[in-house]
Structures are given as C-alpha cells and as structure tokens.
Amino acid sequence: MKKVLLAVSLLLITSLPVYAQDAGLRPSPSPRVKPSAALQVRTAQITDQTKEVVMERINAQMNKVNEKMTAMWQRLIDRMQILVEKLQTRINELATAGKDVAAAQTALNEASDALTAAEDAVVAQADKEYVIEFTDENGLRVGATTAKTTLRTDLKAVQDLIKEARIQLHEALLAVKEVAGEE
C-alpha cells in the first residue's frame, strides 16, 4: 500500500504543472561587460526573458572573444616590431661593414609595411562591437548565427594579415642572414 501511495504521489508531483509568480526579477548581464546602447535597444524589443538572457550572453561572449583575440594579436605585433628594430640595427651594422644590404633593406621595408597593415587591422577590429540583428523574436537564431559568422570572418581577415606580416618578417630575417653570410 505504501509503494502504491508513493508511486501515485510521485506521478502527481511530476505530471502536474507548477505555477510560480515572476517577481519581476531578471538576471542581469555579466557585471564586467556593460551592454551597449545598440544591445539595450535590441533587448527592449524582446518579450521572452529567456531569449533576452541568451541574447545578452551571446553578445557578451562574442565581444569578449574579440577583445581577447585583439589583445593577443597586439602583443604579437609588439614582439614583431621589436624584431624589426633588431633587424634594422643589424642591417645598419652590416652596411657600415661594407656589405650590400639593399635586398635585405627592401625585405625589411616590406615586412614593416605588412606589420603596419596588420596593426591597423587589429586596432580597427578592437573597435568593433558585435550586436545580434533581428526583426522579431523568431529571427534571433538567424541574427545570432549571422553575427557569429561576421565575427569569425573579421577575425580570420585580421589573422591572415598577421600571418602575412610574419612571413614577410621571416623573409627579411633570411635576407639579413644571407647578407651576413650566416645560415
């Protein structure tokens, strides 16, 4: 008899709907990331609280990824600029020693130009903010996918510029070593 009573009570507890009042409490976005004005305007258009929280979280994640990647790339560019300065010093030493450094200087200038282009792209990328665009609540998924794709595309473009700068810097290093007679 106890088993039957227990089974019926468990069945009733799990099958009956639960009604709770919403006390107007809303989970706030991460305290470190303040929503932008554009995000606040978009959020005001959403009536479903769960969708609103998810949208805010996705926006915060995208902007955090952008921030981390641009910070990492800026540190990399700073290290590469130090290498450019060292190579320039080495070229100057080789020139005073009477070596023909024209090819090495040209390669270093190309590397420096590529590095400047990469740094400009990183600075521009750091200024970007990604907000999910949608017309109604049903378009949130499509808007989120589009925003994520845009972020990936933008990050890939910057990464390609940095990769090109690294290749150019490597070629400049090889040119300097060739002039110096090193292997």
Side-chain angles (χ1 to χ4, degrees):
M1 180 68 175
K2 286 184 179 179
K3 289 183 180 179
V4 171
L5 188 57
L6 180 63
V8 169
S9 62
L10 284 174
L11 181 63
L12 286 175
I13 289 173
T14 58
S15 64
L16 291 176
V18 176
Y19 297 100
Q21 282 186 328
D22 182 13
L25 300 176
R26 294 175 44 177
S28 62
S30 166
R32 293 179 291 154
V33 179
K34 288 186 175 181
S36 67
L39 179 60
Q40 290 175 348
V41 169
R42 289 292 183 187
T43 304
Q45 297 174 353
I46 301 174
T47 57
D48 185 1
Q49 231 175 339
T50 305
K51 288 181 181 179
E52 181 180 343
V53 170
V54 169
M55 186 184 99
E56 289 174 353
R57 190 188 75 220
I58 291 172
N59 271 306
Q61 285 175 343
M62 287 189 304
N63 289 318
K64 188 174 182 180
V65 164
N66 188 42
E67 180 182 320
K68 283 185 171 187
M69 292 300 292
T70 54
M72 177 193 67
W73 285 331
Q74 188 58 54
R75 288 189 306 270
L76 178 63
I77 287 173
D78 291 344
R79 287 194 313 254
M80 288 194 302
Q81 285 179 339
I82 291 170
L83 286 173
V84 167
E85 292 170 6
K86 288 181 179 180
L87 285 175
Q88 185 62 55
T89 302
R90 178 79 172 156
I91 288 173
N92 292 342
E93 290 171 358
L94 291 171
T96 57
K99 303 275 185 166
D100 183 19
V101 294
Q105 186 64 53
T106 302
L108 185 61
N109 290 343
E110 290 174 2
S112 182
D113 292 344
L115 192 57
T116 302
E119 185 173 22
D120 292 344
V122 168
V123 169
Q125 182 64 33
D127 290 340
K128 290 184 181 179
E129 183 176 336
Y130 294 90
V131 177
I132 297 174
E133 299 290 332
F134 60 95
T135 54
D136 61 359
E137 288 185 27
N138 296 329
L140 276 174
R141 181 180 300 262
V142 174
T145 303
T146 303
K148 285 180 180 180
T149 303
T150 303
L151 173 64
R152 268 189 228 110
T153 304
D154 292 349
L155 291 177
K156 178 69 173 141
V158 174
Q159 183 181 18
D160 289 344
L161 287 173
I162 291 174
K163 187 176 182 179
E164 180 62 30
R166 290 179 88 174
I167 291 170
Q168 294 288 334
L169 189 59
H170 184 257
E171 289 175 2
L173 175 64
L174 293 177
V176 170
K177 282 186 171 189
E178 183 179 322
V179 169
E182 301 171 359
E183 289 189 27

